[in-house]
Amino acid sequence: MHYQSTRGQAPDLDFRGATLAGLATDGGLYLPAEWPRLSPQTIETLATASYAETAFTVMRPFVEGALSDAELKTLIAQAYGDFGHAAVTPLVELDHRHWLLELFHGPTLAFKDVALQLLGGLFGHFLADGERITIVGATSGDTGSAAIEAVAGRPGITIFMLHPQGRVSEVQRRQMTTVNAPNVHNIAVDGSFDDCQALVKSLFNDQPFRAEMQLSAVNSINWARLLAQIVYYVHAASRLGAPHRQVSFSVPTGNFGDVFAGYCAARMGLPIGRLLVATNVNDILARALNAGDYSVGQVAPTATPSMDIQVSSNFERLLFDLHGRDGAALAATMASFEATGRMALSEAQRAEAGKLFLAERVDETGMMQALAWANSECGQLLDPHTGVGLAAARARADELPGPIVTLATAHPAKFPEAVERATGVHPSLPRRVQHLFDREERFERLPADAEALKAHIRKHA
Ligand SMILES: *Cc1c(COP(=O)(O)O)cnc(C)c1O
């Protein structure tokens, strides 16, 4: 399998190359050159397959030439072996239409574990003996802990994770700072999340430093992360009647990574009715899909911080298909977007996207009502991100064919204040993570200064 850049200028890579590169050298994102097909017979057999078996079937054609069957099976077993639930991503019925797909049974209680547990193993596998990489990232919460948990203790990898001092929740901070491994370095930056991101960007733009340190990224532009996420769409749909019945999904969306994995599943032949893109009030994707207006505004902080974004980096992957897979045309569109902060989708592009995607914006009241409904009518405590997804799903149920699955992207105990405000119930942490409050925290405090950060990384990498 070959991977090509959405901007058409970077060389094609195999799965190993695309995984280690993350971003393509022309600024584009990697996509497989073709979509492998899941036949109806294969989907039928997956109805009784384990999560690991489904993962193997889905991923195998994408990793061809880079991993043997035995290697892929081992990596899958290691990635999903210590999830806190035997089903890995269990389905929960809410009422006659609505289901939840719980994606938060990994080590850090958010769906990012599903992708990053596998990515950590892939990095470990692909780095030949003696080869070293330095992962540098910025986090506003869930990505940081999931990435740290995925690479802690792995030879050849050192990770530096930046978070804005005092601006992540206590649970989120402790999930990063209590990991006691010599290759993990937490940095609390005196500044905002945007400052952290700008610092990381400036390091990646410093080519000599990038080469010296072998910098690598783990954000959701990495194709391998999306690949891992295709699996749970197939797993859920095959349990709810695919290939004989369509299934729809509502996806709490920020960077468009999770919902794009659903698009990949549909391209592979999974009978997805509709994919509902659920946004909070930071609604650039809802505006783009509903009105063709992809223009950047100001980020408004909400109770769903992992969806507080303006630019959704993975949207470029859908735009590639909407531009007829013409990398040069998309590169021109993206250059104009980067210069002006706006992009208009044509009527034809919007109609094409609308065959599969719907979009709904959910405000704080809608999110709180969904949390209250799930608690009082179904006895389920949801996290606020999942609440945005469920509110959207209930608002648009008439347009969603088949059973409707809302992706439950985080455990409610990660966001206890918002959950308690909506339901009056304080969610408790699962027993397997209660150690968080007993362990010592380790982090460095640094100013928002690129030179200070580089010196720190040189000293500790
Ligand atoms: C990251 C995240 C999201 C958004 O996912 P994208 O792939 O960025 O669209 C939603 N909910 C939670 C809890 C997250 O951590």
Side-chain angles (χ1 to χ4, degrees):
M1 174 65 80
H2 279 267
Y3 290 85
Q4 56 190 95
S5 165
T6 50
R7 300 198 191 175
Q9 294 298 308
D12 281 9
L13 296 176
D14 70 357
F15 179 71
R16 176 185 187 278
T19 300
L20 292 176
L23 194 69
T25 50
D26 58 3
L29 309 182
Y30 279 107
L31 275 175
E34 68 208 61
W35 296 108
R37 296 292 298 179
L38 282 172
S39 69
Q41 292 83 335
T42 303
I43 297 171
E44 177 98 55
T45 62
L46 292 178
T48 53
S50 70
Y51 191 87
E53 287 161 349
T54 306
F56 178 74
T57 303
V58 170
M59 293 186 199
R60 189 168 181 256
F62 290 100
V63 306
E64 220 188 315
L67 292 174
S68 70
D69 285 358
E71 288 166 339
L72 178 59
K73 281 187 180 158
T74 303
L75 287 164
I76 289 169
Q78 287 167 351
Y80 303 116
D82 355 287
F83 271 51
H85 197 296
V88 182
T89 61
L91 276 167
V92 174
E93 189 171 9
L94 292 178
D95 71 4
H96 61 290
R97 287 299 312 279
H98 293 278
W99 299 73
L100 291 175
L101 181 60
E102 293 186 345
L103 302 175
F104 53 71
H105 293 280
T108 73
L109 309 180
F111 90 95
K112 302 217 165 44
D113 287 325
V114 179
L116 283 163
Q117 284 291 307
L118 184 79
L119 189 66
L122 287 168
F123 274 146
H125 180 83
F126 287 142
L127 292 172
D129 289 340
E131 221 177 313
R132 302 197 53 86
I133 57 166
T134 306
I135 294 173
V136 181
T139 187
S140 57
D142 296 331
T143 304
S145 56
I148 287 172
E149 201 60 55
V151 304
R154 285 190 191 277
I157 305 176
T158 312
I159 185 166
F160 293 85
M161 189 55 64
L162 281 59
H163 70 267
Q165 161 79 26
R167 299 194 202 189
V168 297
S169 80
E170 179 167 19
V171 171
Q172 288 177 323
R173 188 190 70 239
R174 285 181 173 272
Q175 283 183 320
M176 297 190 278
T177 58
T178 61
V179 176
N180 186 11
N183 66 331
V184 170
H185 301 274
N186 280 288
I187 299 169
V189 172
D190 285 319
S192 65
F193 174 60
D194 286 338
D195 294 328
C196 295
Q197 274 199 309
L199 282 171
V200 172
K201 209 166 173 184
S202 78
L203 261 52
F204 275 86
N205 286 338
D206 179 341
Q207 296 301 338
F209 184 78
R210 184 174 176 167
E212 176 193 342
M213 290 290 137
Q214 293 288 309
L215 290 193
S216 187
V218 290
N219 49 17
S220 69
I221 52 149
N222 196 304
W223 164 255
R225 280 184 62 172
L226 300 188
L227 173 59
Q229 294 172 225
I230 299 173
V231 175
Y232 47 73
Y233 286 92
V234 178
H235 192 61
S238 65
R239 245 130 282 264
L240 292 174
H244 308 292
R245 180 188 295 138
Q246 290 195 322
V247 178
S248 292
F249 291 88
S250 175
V251 186
T253 297
N255 249 328
F256 205 72
D258 207 2
V259 74
F260 187 79
Y263 173 82
C264 300
R267 297 300 304 258
M268 293 175 73
L270 191 70
I272 292 184
R274 278 287 201 291
L275 290 168
L276 178 59
V277 176
T279 76
N280 64 22
V281 297
N282 296 293
D283 62 351
I284 183 168
L285 287 168
R287 280 185 280 118
L289 292 165
N290 292 333
D293 166 29
Y294 191 77
S295 61
V296 180
Q298 282 287 318
V299 179
T302 70
T304 47
S306 298
M307 298 159 66
D308 289 347
I309 50 92
Q310 278 299 331
V311 179
S312 293
S313 37
N314 280 295
F315 195 55
E316 178 166 343
R317 288 189 155 109
L318 177 64
L319 290 171
F320 184 61
D321 276 0
L322 297 179
H323 282 68
R325 295 180 82 93
D326 178 346
L330 180 57
T333 304
M334 293 309 296
S336 144
F337 172 70
E338 277 155 22
T340 62
R342 48 196 329 120
M343 177 194 308
L345 265 58
S346 71
E347 212 33 62
Q349 289 172 330
R350 221 156 56 73
E352 183 61 29
K355 289 181 186 164
L356 192 59
F357 291 100
L358 290 173
E360 179 78 3
R361 169 194 203 266
V362 175
D363 65 14
E364 181 92 1
T365 310
M367 179 275 285
M368 301 266 282
Q369 282 169 352
L371 260 54
W373 178 82
N375 182 50
S376 69
E377 303 306 307
C378 323
Q380 285 286 326
L381 278 188
L382 309 184
D383 106 281
H385 302 79
T386 309
V388 168
L390 182 61
R394 295 185 73 222
R396 304 290 290 269
D398 290 349
E399 298 159 77
L400 301 169
I404 306 169
V405 179
T406 295
L407 303 196
T409 51
H411 190 284
K414 280 197 102 160
F415 303 94
E417 291 82 14
V419 174
E420 193 162 355
R421 248 188 298 131
T423 64
V425 182
H426 187 84
S428 48
L429 276 174
R431 200 168 326 128
R432 69 200 157 81
V433 292
Q434 279 172 3
H435 58 74
L436 276 184
F437 289 87
D438 312 329
R439 291 202 185 148
E440 197 191 329
E441 293 192 69
R442 292 194 317 149
F443 61 93
E444 290 281 338
R445 242 181 116 154
L446 287 181
D449 174 72
E451 292 311 314
L453 178 61
K454 282 182 211 165
H456 183 80
I457 291 174
R458 278 204 180 90
K459 185 162 154 216
H460 295 282

